[in-house]
Every structure is written in C-alpha cells, then in structure tokens.
Amino acid sequence: MSLNMSGLQMQNKGLILENLNALEKASCFKKPFLCCGGSFKATKAYQYLNEKYDLTVWDKIRPNPRFEDMVSAAELFKQNNCDFIIGAGGGSPLDSAKMIKLLVTNDVKTALTKPMQANDIGFLAVPTTAGTGSEATRYSIFYVNENEKHSVTHEDFLPDFVILDEEFLKTVPPYQRRCTCMDALCHAIESYWNVKSDAESRKYAEKAIRLFVENKKGYLANEKEANRGMLMASYYAGKAINITATTSAHAMCYNITMNCGTAHGHSVSVNLAEIWDYMNSHNERVNDERGRAFVLDTLDEIGVLLGGRHSKDGVEIFRGLVEEFELYSPKADKAAVLTFAESVNADRLLNNPTTLSSEDITEIYKRVFKIN
C-alpha cells in the first residue's frame, strides 16, 4: 500500500498515513480491535495486522448496522483488554467502529439519550470503498430494533488516523462500485446546495464533484489512478458533509434501502434525481436565508460543475449517470410508497434549499417509483 499523502490533514484530527507501517510509528498500541466487513479479511492489510498484533476481530457487520451489534462488539473490546480500534470497510464498518469506540467507556443505557463523553482510545479508519466519506465525518448512522434509524454526532468519531489506498477498490463488486461512487457524488451535491453550506464546505464539495467527473470513466474501468481519484472524491465529499450534513435525498432514501433491496447509494441516487428535478420547478418557497436567487444560482452552479450550462442540464446529466450505472427505479406498491412518505422525519428536511411539504414528499416518492 502506498499513497504519499502523509502531510495531508483532516479537519481537527485524522492524519492521513501512507500505510500500516507508518501507523506503527505514529501510535503506540499492542491489542487493536478490528471492526471490518468480511471481505477485508482477504486483504494483505488484514494479513499484516493479524501477523503483527494480538488482534481481536469483529466482522458481524450488517449492511445497515445495528446498535445491538455495536453493544456486543464493545463488550468484546473490553473483555479482550483492547487498546486501539480500527474500522476497515465501507460505511457500515466505519460507522460501527465509531460507536463501538465510545460505547467502550459510556453507559449503553443512556448512549442514545444523553451526550457521550470522549475517550482516549486511538482510532484508525481504512475506507475500502469510494463512497461514504465516513472517514471524514463526525456522524454514525445505524438502526435500533431493525427499522428505527438513528444518527449520532460526536467530535470523537473523527479518526486519529486514516489510510486511503486505492488498492482496496480493485475487488469491489461492480454494483457496489457504482453505488458507492454515486453516494459520494450525492454527498457533494447535497452539501453544495445545503442551507448550512459555507465557503469551506463548498470548496470541498466542488473538489469532490470535479474529481468524480474527471475519474468516472477510469473508475468504471477499474484503473488505478482513477480509483485513487474517486477515493479522494469520496473523502472530500465527506469533509463537506461533515460541515453541513445531508438533505432530503438522504432523508428519503432510508425507506427505500430498508424495504426495496437496493444499496444505499442506489437509493439516494434515484431520490436525488427526482428531488433536483422537482426543485427546478417548485422553488417558490426556500429555506435558505440567503434567498431564492441564491438557491437558484446554486442549482445552476452544480449543473455547470457536472458539465452542463445550468440546473436543468445538471439534472439530465445526473439522470444519465443513474441510467449508465444501471441504478433502476425500485419497486413498491402505492400503499407502501404512501407509508414511506408519512414516515420521513421532517427534521431531516430542514437542510434542504427549498421547503418540501408532505404533499411534495409524496409526489417525489411517486416519481421515484413511477406511480401515477
């Protein structure tokens, strides 16, 4: 593994290391706890960790991580007297590692209702997909009781160290490759049009969009340099989201992911396409205090970043990507779709640049599912 980025810094903390050898020099630990997906155990990185350290492994990670699994993992961490945590994989292992880290030293009974205290357990994040940007955010997203979604924010979720290595992307299955990079693009777009956007977040989001556009073709062909570029696109999109959080496309996608058998990036992409198109013609009411003209200019700017002339072009380019990546419309009957609309958390829509009523949400879902 080799990426010459050891001088690059993340916000607040998160030194990017060249490789695992560099980690040994940067941090002193003896019994690391590895939270990873099953595929990571087939990598040279896993072999290195397993041979080098007295390693405890937790690989019981479900696609949409569960709080109860994290509680069990934290107990295993304590039982084995571990002194460091490594999260390796896509968004689910990384989000799990974040919560496990704090559950080791906080009361599980109040972890979801009261602020958790930070601890000094070292944390390394190793993303193996170019999508979630979780290595750059202070968020952990998971489920309780199978379908109750939680999002926890904590500054201690930012890792102490990050390893970004395009070699991990070589073996990602084609569908997951397409879904994860589209998730990164959605992060960047949602951050750019977010009501909480500022100069810094827009800088990161713009960089992510440009990197996506520049590297898309080579990434789909699994070329090394393009894989590196897409990994960085995901990283910068994560940095943008770390400032702004997400908007309606993510708020509405979880019902689809949990009920329709689509991957997260697939669900959010089909949502964003319809939301963006809807906002182009339904923008009389805006949430952004900078005004309607600012919102419309912002949508145009995103269209230009994708290679178009304005926002309408941007939607068509984005739809073209969804079609090119074979991210087809999910399937559900009308009754289920109406239930989805009713269950969207209104608080999670407040970052959206335009105001979306319950009627708007229902209409957008109908368009996603192609229901009259």
Side-chain angles (χ1 to χ4, degrees):
M1 298 188 295
S2 60
L3 270 183
N4 297 317
M5 301 179 186
S6 57
L8 188 60
Q9 297 284 334
M10 279 178 57
Q11 183 174 324
N12 298 325
K13 56 180 180 175
L15 177 66
I16 295 187
L17 303 173
E18 287 187 42
N19 49 42
L20 289 169
N21 288 324
L23 174 67
E24 186 176 4
K25 298 176 182 178
S27 181
C28 181
F29 59 90
K30 294 181 179 179
K31 290 179 66 66
F33 182 97
L34 172 63
C35 175
C36 68
S39 60
F40 184 77
K41 295 171 72 174
T43 67
K44 292 180 179 178
Y46 174 82
Q47 182 180 353
Y48 173 90
L49 290 168
N50 200 37
E51 293 175 353
K52 186 76 176 178
Y53 300 103
D54 181 7
L55 188 67
T56 296
V57 180
W58 178 270
D59 61 358
K60 299 178 178 65
I61 312 295
R62 289 184 262 183
N64 297 292
R66 308 301 201 274
F67 180 70
E68 55 266 33
D69 296 341
M70 300 171 185
V71 171
S72 298
E75 285 301 314
L76 182 63
F77 186 107
K78 290 186 282 188
Q79 290 170 12
N80 289 356
N81 296 313
C82 297
D83 58 2
F84 191 85
I85 189 163
I86 301 170
S92 293
L94 295 184
D95 280 6
S96 296
K98 292 174 178 180
M99 278 297 289
I100 293 167
K101 178 183 188 297
L102 289 189
L103 288 174
V104 170
T105 56
N106 284 273
D107 188 345
V108 171
K109 295 179 181 178
T110 60
L112 300 180
T113 57
K114 295 181 180 180
M116 292 185 288
Q117 298 299 310
N119 59 40
D120 60 0
I121 297 171
F123 178 25
L124 164 69
V126 186
T128 61
T129 65
T132 69
S134 183
E135 71 279 3
T137 73
R138 63 189 191 280
Y139 311 121
S140 177
I141 298 171
F142 52 89
Y143 289 80
V144 179
N145 301 323
E146 294 300 317
N147 57 11
E148 184 182 328
K149 179 177 171 288
H150 281 258
S151 178
V152 176
T153 303
H154 201 291
E155 290 298 327
D156 212 33
F157 286 162
L158 285 168
D160 299 289
F161 310 101
V162 177
I163 291 177
L164 296 176
D165 189 340
E166 71 275 7
E167 291 298 312
F168 289 119
L169 273 58
K170 277 186 175 181
T171 57
V172 177
Y175 174 67
Q176 293 300 329
R177 288 180 66 82
R178 299 193 298 270
C179 290
T180 51
C181 77
M182 284 297 284
D183 188 27
L185 180 60
C186 290
H187 280 152
I189 290 174
E190 287 185 73
S191 180
Y192 198 94
W193 72 32
N194 199 298
V195 300
K196 295 180 181 177
S197 67
D198 59 20
E200 183 179 13
S201 68
R202 287 192 166 209
K203 178 186 69 176
Y204 293 139
E206 178 178 343
K207 191 171 185 66
I209 295 170
R210 292 188 185 279
L211 282 166
F212 177 95
V213 172
E214 292 168 5
N215 291 283
K216 180 197 69 119
K217 183 177 179 180
Y219 172 79
L220 291 178
N222 209 353
E223 296 173 359
K224 181 177 180 179
E225 291 299 318
N227 281 347
R228 179 184 302 167
M230 197 62 77
L231 194 63
M232 295 307 298
S234 175
Y235 166 73
Y236 282 112
K239 285 178 73 74
I241 285 296
N242 189 50
I243 296 172
T244 63
T246 53
T247 64
S248 54
H250 270 76
M252 294 174 61
C253 85
Y254 296 103
N255 286 318
I256 300 174
T257 301
M258 294 298 290
N259 294 283
C260 301
T262 51
H264 171 74
H266 185 159
S267 303
V268 72
S269 296
V270 294
N271 262 332
L272 190 141
E274 297 304 333
I275 290 166
W276 190 354
D277 187 43
Y278 194 81
M279 290 195 299
N280 278 340
S281 56
H282 297 77
N283 50 57
E284 296 81 10
R285 296 170 296 137
V286 299
N287 286 328
D288 201 313
E289 62 183 13
R290 291 167 289 194
R292 182 168 179 265
F294 178 87
V295 168
L296 296 181
D297 286 346
T298 293
L299 297 177
D300 283 338
E301 288 167 10
I302 299 171
V304 172
L305 286 171
L306 285 178
R309 297 164 298 171
H310 41 56
S311 184
K312 289 185 178 180
D313 278 357
V315 171
E316 293 310 308
I317 292 169
F318 190 87
R319 285 191 190 280
L321 290 169
V322 172
E323 183 176 344
E324 179 185 359
F325 287 12
E326 299 179 347
L327 304 181
Y328 303 117
S329 296
K331 303 297 182 183
D333 60 34
K334 188 173 182 178
V337 171
L338 294 177
T339 299
F340 294 167
E342 292 172 357
S343 65
V344 173
N345 188 333
D347 290 342
R348 300 187 185 280
L349 302 176
L350 298 180
N351 289 341
N352 208 64
T354 66
T355 301
L356 296 177
S357 66
S358 59
E359 291 78 13
D360 295 326
I361 295 299
T362 300
E363 176 59 27
I364 291 168
Y365 266 133
K366 286 181 178 179
R367 295 185 184 190
V368 169
F369 287 93
K370 301 188 184 308
I371 293 174
N372 295 325

